[in-house]
Amino acid sequence: LVLTKDDKVIDHVKIDKATGLPANPRSEHELRERYMRRIRRELDFSGIHLHYSTNSEKPFSRKARRQLLRYIESVVAAGDREG
């Protein structure tokens, strides 16, 4: 399950005017986690999930992209072994 981090969750989090960052960094994570649990429950999904951002300027976005690529490669390789 791939969930985007380009979802504007930050719009629902209180921002510190001095830094432009979330006043409580955990609040963004907690809100994203709450949404993720709801989506998993509604889809009845128990597999792995990955939060992915298309902003390749940030290291965490590049890391998530590499992880997604590894997951895709492993699924393709597993499919080749089964066929």
Side-chain angles (χ1 to χ4, degrees):
L1 179 63
V2 179
L3 303 167
T4 181
K5 288 189 88 169
D6 303 323
D7 52 14
K8 308 298 182 197
V9 164
I10 199 76
D11 293 347
H12 303 284
V13 176
K14 185 176 179 182
I15 302 298
D16 182 317
K17 292 181 182 184
T19 65
L21 299 171
N24 177 1
R26 289 185 57 193
S27 61
E28 179 183 1
H29 176 74
E30 290 167 357
L31 184 58
R32 193 176 308 284
E33 288 293 308
R34 188 173 351 140
Y35 288 154
M36 180 270 306
R37 284 191 299 273
R38 186 178 73 198
I39 290 166
R40 290 173 67 104
R41 184 177 56 250
E42 289 176 4
L43 294 174
D44 193 26
F45 184 79
S46 61
I48 58 173
H49 76 276
L50 177 70
H51 283 105
Y52 177 82
S53 174
T54 59
N55 184 347
S56 61
E57 295 178 6
K58 298 182 178 183
F60 66 84
S61 297
R62 293 189 300 269
K63 181 180 176 184
R65 182 176 295 159
R66 286 190 302 272
Q67 185 64 50
L68 178 59
L69 179 60
R70 283 193 293 271
Y71 286 145
I72 292 169
E73 289 171 341
S74 67
V75 167
V76 169
D80 287 346
R81 288 191 295 263
E82 292 175 9

